[in-house]
Amino acid sequence: MQAFLYLSIKYTMKMKTLLIAIALTITSQSFLSAKEEIQSIHKNHNLMQTDSVLRHVVLLKFKEGATGDNIKEVEAAFTALPSKISEIQGYEWGLNNSPEGLDKGFTHCFFLTFKSEADRATYLPHPDHKAFGAVLTPYLEDVLVIDYWTPSE
């Protein structure tokens, strides 16, 4: 009986070892596949940077007490930035008119285009951008900024 228990325990240990080895093999193959996929994404992202433009999307929600004149002042200040900051390659803006009701109070969308991350890096701390922030801040309830690469037109 002891010999049977010994063989049974030894067999069970071998099976556990085999199962662990199989699990590690599957995991390492999955890891390698994930690593290769990430490398492919990075490669494509780098290509995007050479053949693409960087979009900078700014959504604004104004404080309840902001007047129409206050908001027009902000619109004019933002609209003046492309003439002051040469790194801005494209600019447009508009008011939300979505019928979906999912705007969460954001009313204004400003859409800037840069040729490179370096251009955006110049824009962000630029004195004229900072001056715009000083105009905006007293009336700002919330802001949402999203940047992304897209193929150039």
Side-chain angles (χ1 to χ4, degrees):
M1 185 69 168
Q2 283 181 338
F4 176 74
L5 283 174
Y6 172 77
L7 288 174
S8 178
I9 290 171
K10 189 175 178 180
Y11 176 76
T12 302
M13 294 298 286
K14 283 184 179 182
M15 287 301 292
K16 285 182 181 178
T17 302
L18 179 61
L19 289 174
I20 289 171
I22 291 170
L24 288 173
T25 301
I26 291 170
T27 302
S28 67
Q29 287 176 349
S30 295
F31 175 75
L32 286 175
S33 295
K35 183 178 177 183
E36 289 167 356
E37 187 171 336
I38 290 169
Q39 287 172 340
S40 173
I41 290 169
H42 283 286
K43 180 180 177 185
N44 289 336
H45 177 72
N46 288 337
L47 288 175
M48 289 287 289
Q49 291 180 8
T50 59
D51 297 338
S52 302
V53 293
L54 182 59
R55 303 288 195 205
H56 180 71
V57 182
V58 180
L59 303 176
L60 300 179
K61 180 193 306 187
F62 291 97
K63 290 180 180 176
E64 195 171 308
T67 67
D69 286 341
N70 299 145
I71 293 171
K72 286 187 188 311
E73 179 186 5
V74 170
E75 293 168 354
F78 209 140
T79 300
L81 289 178
S83 66
K84 298 176 179 182
I85 304 173
S86 63
E87 287 77 12
I88 298 173
Q89 297 299 305
Y91 170 80
E92 64 183 81
W93 76 277
L95 297 173
N96 175 51
N97 75 346
S98 172
E100 296 174 289
L102 301 173
D103 54 64
K104 298 183 180 182
F106 289 90
T107 57
H108 288 65
C109 178
F110 295 88
F111 190 80
L112 287 77
T113 302
F114 298 98
K115 285 185 179 178
S116 67
E117 290 181 5
D119 285 353
R120 179 186 56 194
T122 299
Y123 160 79
L124 291 173
H126 193 283
D128 289 312
H129 182 236
K130 296 296 183 186
F132 163 72
V135 171
L136 171 65
T137 300
Y139 315 117
L140 182 66
E141 175 71 27
D142 200 3
V143 61
L144 175 66
V145 177
I146 296 176
D147 294 354
Y148 64 94
W149 285 99
T150 190
S152 57
E153 299 171 354

